Structure formats: structure tokens, C-alpha cells
Amino acid sequence: MSMKILVLGGTRFFGKRLVEHWAAQENVEVTVASRGNIAFPFDSRVTHIMLDRTNEGSLRHAAELEHWDVVYDHVCYSAEAALAAANVFEGRVKRYILTSSLSVYEAGTQRDEGFREEDFDPSTYPVRIAGDEVVSYQEGKRQAEAVLIQKATFPVATVRFPIVLGTDDYTRRLHFHIEHVQQGLPIGLPNPEADIGFIQSSEAARFLAWLGDAEINGPINAASSGTISLNELIGKIEVAVGKTSIIQSEAEKEHSSSFGITSSWYMNTKRAAKAGFAFDSLEEWLPHLVQQISSTE
């Protein structure tokens, strides 16, 4: 019998890589549910259905198509969206994997070894249905984790990723820094001495695929091994492009870094490593990625 996988979102970046991984496996049927705002990037091995993630009826339609072995949710940003998932997938999924974020942790409170999963506990976090109230990305992800962990009747894993990098990053976060150095534009970094962690898009997809078969639930951190200071990162960019950067503690919004943290910001990944996942080394892949992007800009 084929394994049935549903991916909510997943038409670009590491979600796309995850779908490509599963589509290449034998005895796996992959369905992608998306809004259809961008061209569907997969061949006939992948089924496509239209989805309005904010509409519980639309989500229920996706849920009721099959009894799913694994559901990956890349587009859940609120308590309401998580509650809808808990309702419609009840009795219809063996395993639910939410893409969450390092952002659930409170910046400036981490330990020397990095944030550990217990530093934000969704099982005890107060659930609050915000209605029309606009909540931050951090609070939205906290609420999504809390609702699924507390309300879902099926097993849930919430994957906390740091900033994901890759040549395929449509938000072009590393590209921004390389372009600014190349063009002699200022970069706003409030604390260049801060250490930061990353994961590459291929590794994020590999982790999600591994987690689909792993017997591990609840929150789990996923990041490349090692960290880098922002100063070191900018230094690698300077070497790659042959120019000196202009770093400012404050800059206009269009020149402010998406890496502009005020204190070190990275995670401890011992839980995933203990469960058997081998993370890539940041110091091995990041310089190569900087070179790759620099040569194409």
C-alpha cells in the first residue's frame, strides 16, 4: 500500500525540495495543496489541489480526500489556522508536522549552548483566539504550536527552523547582503558581534523528510551544526566580492538587515541529533553558498 503524504503549501524553497524528495520515492503518493498563486512546479507524479488555508471548509476538503500518513503544514501562522487543522484532520492523519520557527523563543534569553526546546513549552502556553486582531509572526507561531500540541488528537511535531538559506531563497536574505556589499550600500546591523545559526534549504527538506518516518513528537529544533558571528559572515562576503562593507548600527528600512539581531540567536539541536539526524556543518556549506550567490549577482 502506498504512503499518502499531504503538503500544505510547499510549492517553493525547501517545501518544494521536500515534495521533490517524496515524489522520487517508490510507493509514495504526494498531494500538494496550495492557493495556486504561482505556477505548479511539479510533474504528474504530484497531485495538486487548490486550498484556501484560512477557510476551514477548504481545509476539510483536503483532509477528507484520503487517510493521510503524514501531513506537512508550511502555512499555519495562527491559533485559528491550527485549530481548524486539529478539527478537520481528526481521525484522518497518522502524523502532523508543523513548520515552526526559532522565533518562538524570546530573543536575549538564550543559554550559551543555544535555545533548547523546553525554553518555549507549547503544552502550557495559554491559547488565545485572536479573531481579527493582528498578531506578530512570533506570537502566531507560538499559538499555532500551542493549539496543535494541546488540542490535536493525532501525533504532532513542530519543527523550529532558524533562517533558511539557499540559492532558491525567494526572499533573497543572503542575496541582500551580498548585493549591498557589491553596490557599496550601507547595511543596518545593530550588533555585528552577535552569533547566529542557519540551515540550508536542502538540509531543511532532508530533515522534514527524515521526520516523516521518525518516532519523535513535540517541539524539535533543526539547524546546521555551528554558528557564525555577523562580522564573520560579512567578512566572507567581502572576500567573495572583493569589496569592503559599510555597516551601520541603524539604517533606512530598505537597508536594514534581516539578520539584524540585537543579541546572539541560535538553537541547541541535541534532541534531533540524539534521535539520529546528522546535521550539516555550517562552516562547510555557508562559504560555498556565499561564493555561489556572489558569482551570479
Side-chain angles (χ1 to χ4, degrees):
M1 185 177 292
S2 295
M3 186 178 184
K4 313 280 189 181
I5 292 179
L6 175 64
V7 183
L8 307 179
T11 53
R12 53 187 179 180
F13 205 23
F14 61 87
K16 180 183 175 184
R17 288 176 181 259
L18 173 68
V19 172
E20 289 170 343
H21 165 85
W22 281 119
Q25 310 304 307
E26 292 186 5
N27 298 317
V28 176
E29 295 179 19
V30 186
T31 299
V32 172
S34 73
R35 292 174 297 178
N37 289 351
I38 63 174
F40 193 65
F42 307 112
D43 60 26
S44 59
R45 293 175 300 171
V46 180
T47 301
H48 184 217
I49 59 173
M50 300 294 287
L51 174 75
D52 177 358
R53 186 62 179 81
T54 64
N55 182 291
E56 186 167 332
S58 179
L59 190 63
R60 184 176 296 279
H61 168 71
E64 292 179 349
L65 289 175
E66 295 279 1
H67 280 86
W68 303 103
D69 290 285
V70 185
V71 172
Y72 292 96
D73 192 346
H74 297 301
V75 285
C76 185
Y77 304 102
S78 68
E80 291 85 349
L83 188 59
N87 290 336
V88 306
F89 285 100
E90 182 172 7
R92 305 203 69 88
V93 62
K94 294 180 182 176
R95 183 160 179 70
Y96 200 95
I97 298 174
L98 171 72
T99 300
S100 190
S101 170
L102 163 62
S103 295
V104 300
Y105 299 114
E106 195 62 52
T109 65
Q110 76 172 45
R111 316 160 193 263
D112 289 343
E113 70 270 23
F115 286 112
R116 297 191 301 214
E117 285 85 356
E118 59 265 32
D119 291 330
F120 172 68
D121 184 357
S123 70
T124 59
Y125 193 70
V127 169
R128 188 166 61 90
I129 305 299
D132 294 332
E133 179 188 346
V134 176
V135 299
S136 66
Y137 176 80
Q138 178 189 53
E139 180 61 15
K141 282 299 187 185
R142 285 177 169 178
Q143 286 293 327
E145 284 200 29
V147 169
L148 283 167
I149 294 294
Q150 295 177 35
K151 307 289 187 183
T153 56
F154 41 81
V156 174
T158 64
V159 182
R160 296 170 181 171
F161 285 131
I163 292 172
V164 184
L165 299 179
T167 56
D168 50 345
D169 178 10
Y170 63 95
T171 66
R172 298 176 64 84
R173 285 164 289 196
L174 184 55
H175 298 67
F176 163 95
H177 296 80
I178 292 169
E179 290 165 354
H180 271 59
V181 176
Q182 286 174 329
Q183 298 169 24
L185 297 172
I187 300 174
L189 282 174
N191 183 5
E193 301 297 327
D195 293 323
I196 192 168
F198 296 107
I199 192 169
Q200 58 182 330
S201 56
S202 58
E203 185 179 16
R206 183 167 64 88
F207 183 84
L208 290 169
W210 169 82
L211 193 59
D213 287 326
E215 295 184 3
I216 184 169
N217 296 315
I220 186 162
N221 294 336
S224 294
S225 298
T227 61
I228 188 170
S229 73
L230 295 171
N231 262 339
E232 288 179 273
L233 175 58
I234 295 298
K236 292 183 186 301
I237 293 172
E238 290 175 332
V239 170
V241 306
K243 292 187 177 180
T244 302
S245 63
I246 302 171
I247 303 300
Q248 300 176 347
S249 58
E250 294 183 9
E252 297 291 332
K253 185 176 181 180
E254 65 267 27
H255 301 304
S256 295
S257 170
S258 56
F259 306 160
I261 51 180
T262 56
S263 59
S264 293
W265 203 47
Y266 54 90
M267 294 181 292
N268 182 309
T269 58
K270 287 182 179 178
R271 182 171 190 238
K274 186 176 180 181
F277 189 83
F279 289 102
D280 297 335
S281 169
L282 182 68
E283 67 180 29
E284 289 183 7
W285 66 260
L286 185 55
H288 177 65
L289 181 61
V290 169
Q291 290 286 351
Q292 265 188 302
I293 296 174
S294 299
S295 66
T296 58
E297 292 302 304

